[in-house]
Amino acid sequence: MSFETILFEKKDGYAKITLNRPDVLNSFNEVMHMELRDALKSCQKDEEVRAILLTAAGRGFCAGQDLGDRAVTGDEGPRDLSQTIEKFYNPLVRLIQSIEKPVVCAVNGVAAGAGANIALACDIVYAAQSASFIQAFCKIGLVPDSGGTWSLPNLVGMARAKALAMLGDKVSATQAEEWGMIWKCVDNDALMETTEELCAQLAQAPTFGLGLIKRAMNAAPTNTMDQQLDLERDLQKMAGFSDDYKEGVNAFLEKRKPNFTGK
Ligand code: T3D
């Protein structure tokens, strides 16, 4: 697949998607939205892809919406921003959440506005030491989108979520790790190697089971304990019928390394 605004490669059982508009800190224009969506959908369908790595080129991860496309001149009426949310940002976050394969995010630099919340929508988030997260929306009179008002309180608690959203303060990668906003902060030089090794490792894992784990975790914040117990029962039934469960148990009993096929 060849694209104008992203790079896409498949290797060692996973796909790597690199946002590639570094001059504008990889902020989103419509082409990048469409290309990222197409790349993610192809990963969703492709059985050879058992994990996805999302990262970006240059010194930033993503600065959210390309504000160059949002200049408000005297002649034009105000733009209805709900249209781009409905057409691009919401489907993107829903797609990341609905792909039943691990989506790893390697945040290589500043992640601002929708860029921050798209990173937080991924399953396992690593950030380089020099990266940061900024809920930049309030600085231009907007509301956090791309799931930020849902994921932030869930990740860091309401007190921090409200202050971050209303003040737009920069959160360093170290702080993000301490607060549980992300999984790990690593040295800048180690980010790509660490996340690529992780994705190669995930590509050997029981993908079907990992997809069910993702489904259960994503359902948890809006379920009661009772509903979650029922969901776990139903998902365990599905997992128990998988080839990988059979292989996992046999490998354990035979004291050998399992060979998971992802099915
Ligand atoms: O509109 C809708 O459809 C609704 C959806 C909205 C979703 C959103 O994401 S709204 C929030 C939009 N994003 C922002 O408000 C963030 C804007 N950017 C910044 O605040 C800063 O750039 C950063 C804090 C992210 C980084 O600061 P810094 O000092 O490291 O870099 P910089 O110098 O500001 O930016 C470097 C270049 O990238 C610069 O271009 P230049 O001067 O070198 O030619 C800058 O203009 C460009 N850039 C950065 N962010 C954006 C951008 N260009 C267009 N759009 C951007 N969002």
Side-chain angles (χ1 to χ4, degrees):
M1 295 174 91
S2 93
F3 298 100
E4 190 189 311
T5 63
I6 63 170
L7 305 173
F8 182 81
E9 61 181 312
K10 276 186 2 181
K11 52 180 174 181
D12 299 332
Y14 69 92
K16 179 177 174 185
I17 302 173
T18 307
L19 307 179
N20 193 26
R21 303 184 73 227
D23 293 348
V24 284
L25 300 183
N26 305 304
S27 53
F28 274 93
N29 61 8
E30 294 205 356
V31 177
M32 196 167 88
H33 268 296
M34 289 188 283
E35 292 189 339
L36 179 58
R37 183 194 56 206
D38 290 350
L40 286 168
K41 282 194 171 171
S42 90
C43 294
Q44 187 174 34
K45 276 190 273 166
D46 189 342
E47 287 191 4
E48 284 176 12
V49 172
R50 289 170 62 185
I52 299 163
L53 178 58
L54 178 63
T55 189
R59 72 173 178 90
F61 173 69
C62 174
Q65 172 62 40
D66 185 333
L67 295 177
D69 293 347
R70 291 291 179 271
V72 183
T73 66
D75 318 336
E76 295 166 20
R79 177 187 280 263
D80 177 355
L81 298 183
S82 72
Q83 291 183 358
T84 33
I85 302 287
E86 186 68 11
K87 188 168 176 193
F88 294 117
Y89 289 99
N90 284 356
L92 172 59
V93 172
R94 288 189 175 116
L95 180 57
I96 291 170
Q97 300 263 300
S98 66
I99 295 175
E100 295 206 329
K101 302 174 184 185
V103 181
V104 175
C105 189
V107 182
N108 52 299
V110 63
N117 294 335
I118 288 162
L120 299 181
C122 296
D123 301 313
I124 302 179
V125 185
Y126 276 79
Q129 191 84 42
S130 64
S132 56
F133 298 82
I134 309 175
Q135 296 295 319
F137 307 89
C138 61
K139 308 255 184 191
I140 54 169
L142 294 186
V143 176
D145 59 28
S146 304
T149 58
W150 186 89
S151 54
L152 271 181
N154 276 303
L155 290 168
V156 299
M158 191 59 85
R160 286 175 177 148
K162 279 187 180 165
L164 291 177
M166 290 185 183
L167 302 175
D169 282 1
K170 183 190 278 193
V171 179
S172 68
T174 322
Q175 183 75 85
E177 182 189 318
E178 277 170 19
W179 282 355
M181 189 192 286
I182 62 167
W183 171 232
K184 271 183 185 155
C185 163
V186 294
D187 286 344
N188 288 357
D189 292 347
L191 181 73
M192 283 329 301
E193 195 181 335
T194 307
T195 51
E196 294 204 0
E197 274 177 18
L198 174 72
C199 285
Q201 178 196 320
L202 286 166
Q204 305 288 315
T207 313
F208 179 70
L210 297 190
L212 298 182
I213 291 173
K214 179 166 174 173
R215 203 190 297 181
M217 293 291 185
N218 287 347
T222 48
N223 269 351
T224 60
M225 173 66 145
D226 211 39
Q227 289 168 321
Q228 200 66 10
L229 287 171
D230 286 348
L231 179 62
E232 287 174 3
R233 175 202 60 211
D234 296 344
L235 298 182
Q236 202 70 301
K237 174 174 173 165
M238 293 166 70
F241 288 135
S242 70
D243 292 347
D244 282 341
Y245 171 63
K246 193 157 74 176
E247 168 64 5
V249 174
N250 286 341
F252 175 80
L253 296 174
E254 292 161 18
K255 299 192 186 305
R256 61 173 172 83
K257 197 170 166 283
N259 179 20
F260 294 122
T261 59
K263 298 196 171 104

